């Protein structure tokens, strides 16, 4: 049947409904296998959608049976994003790949109750982060010293700027005075010549 061998890359609104409902209804913390994340919950959800799409469950099972290797190989070869990807219970971890975040994500992936080792690690991570925050912070004395140093630097810059401006103004004023004196002397000198010719 060529219809069942159609490419699985086509858009389907039913697929998106399934994906949305899968995340809402197939949770990792459920004790009921039909509601817990996995194959049985997936097929139960498909059976619920089957009323809208006759034979959907059989088509999906046939596709998985006949094409699962091809689909998985394509997924493996067409990875998106970074080379380093953390998957927890089949889900891609979207957070930062630092040790603290990864350990927290892995530990929250366990079914309740969380193992004691995880509880201990997460408790220790909390105290470790508090210590990092305390050691990376700036002390009050350092902050006051930094503010004083900036203030002294600003005062020094303003002092040198004032000296530079004063020197420039004195130089300009001296030039103006010299020009005025020169004009006055030349005017007086031409007046003295006029009197002598009389």
């Amino acid at each position: 049947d060529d219809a069942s061998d159609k490419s699985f890359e086509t858009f389907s609104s039913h697929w998106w409904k399934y994906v949305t409902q899968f995340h809402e209804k197939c949770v990792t913390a459920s004790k009921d296998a039909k509601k817990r994340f996995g194959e049985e919950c997936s097929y139960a959800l498909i059976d619920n959608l089957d009323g809208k799409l006759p034979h959907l469950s059989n088509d999906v099972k046939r596709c998985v049976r006949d094409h699962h290797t091809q689909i998985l190989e394509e997924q493996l070869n067409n990875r998106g994003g970074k080379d380093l990807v953390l998957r927890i219970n089949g889900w891609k971890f979207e957070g930062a790949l630092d040790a603290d975040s990864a350990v927290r994500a892995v530990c929250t992936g366990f079914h309740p109750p969380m193992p004691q080792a995880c509880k201990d690690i997460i408790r220790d991570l909390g105290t470790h982060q508090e210590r990092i925050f305390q050691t990376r912070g700036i002390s009050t004395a350092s902050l006051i010293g930094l503010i004083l140093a900036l203030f002294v630097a600003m005062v020094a810059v303003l002092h040198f700027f004032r000296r530079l401006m004063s020197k420039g103004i004195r130089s300009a004023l001296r030039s103006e005075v010299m020009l005025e004196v020169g004009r006055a002397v030349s005017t007086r000198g031409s007046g003295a010549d006029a009197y002598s010719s009389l």
Side-chain angles (χ1 to χ4, degrees):
D1 180 58
D2 289 334
S4 64
D5 288 335
K6 286 191 336 188
S7 172
F8 43 81
E9 297 174 16
T10 58
F11 175 80
S12 170
S13 61
H14 299 293
W15 161 254
W16 290 109
K17 287 178 188 174
Y18 162 77
V19 169
T20 305
Q21 289 182 16
F22 183 78
H23 288 292
E24 293 170 358
K25 295 183 179 178
C26 298
V27 294
T28 57
S30 178
K31 298 213 182 280
D32 182 8
K34 288 194 173 198
K35 293 182 180 179
R36 186 174 50 239
F37 177 85
E39 187 176 311
E40 193 171 340
C41 181
S42 173
Y43 286 138
L45 188 58
I46 290 170
D47 289 337
N48 286 341
L49 291 173
D50 199 16
K52 298 173 188 167
L53 295 170
H55 311 295
L56 176 66
S57 182
N58 291 333
D59 290 345
V60 169
K61 288 176 183 175
R62 187 177 336 115
C63 178
V64 169
R65 183 185 68 233
D66 297 342
H67 300 291
H68 74 279
T69 305
Q70 177 188 359
I71 293 170
L72 292 174
E73 284 178 5
E74 283 191 16
Q75 290 291 317
L76 184 63
N77 293 332
N78 296 320
R79 290 185 300 193
K82 303 181 244 175
D83 288 335
L84 296 175
V85 176
L86 175 61
R87 292 197 178 271
I88 302 167
N89 295 336
W91 295 88
K92 181 179 173 187
F93 175 67
E94 295 289 338
L97 281 178
D98 62 283
D100 293 351
S101 298
V103 166
R104 287 179 192 272
V106 168
C107 285
T108 56
F110 285 102
H111 293 286
M114 186 183 293
Q116 187 60 41
C118 278
K119 290 177 185 176
D120 294 342
I121 290 171
I122 289 175
R123 185 189 66 239
D124 292 343
L125 286 177
T127 58
H128 176 68
Q129 286 177 346
E130 290 168 8
R131 278 185 270 134
I132 289 173
F133 180 73
Q134 289 171 354
T135 57
R136 287 187 184 169
I138 186 168
S139 68
T140 306
S142 298
L143 180 64
I144 291 172
L146 181 65
I147 291 172
L148 284 175
L150 288 172
F151 180 74
V152 168
M154 278 182 43
V155 167
V157 167
L158 289 174
H159 175 72
F160 287 121
F161 178 73
R162 183 174 164 226
R163 285 184 82 190
L164 183 66
M165 290 301 290
S166 295
K167 196 182 247 185
I169 290 172
R170 281 188 194 130
S171 175
L173 189 59
R174 187 176 297 127
S175 297
E176 287 291 322
V177 168
M178 293 304 281
L179 284 172
E180 284 297 320
V181 169
R183 267 192 234 140
V185 168
S186 67
T187 308
R188 227 183 207 192
S190 62
D193 289 339
Y195 282 123
S196 61
S197 63
L198 283 175

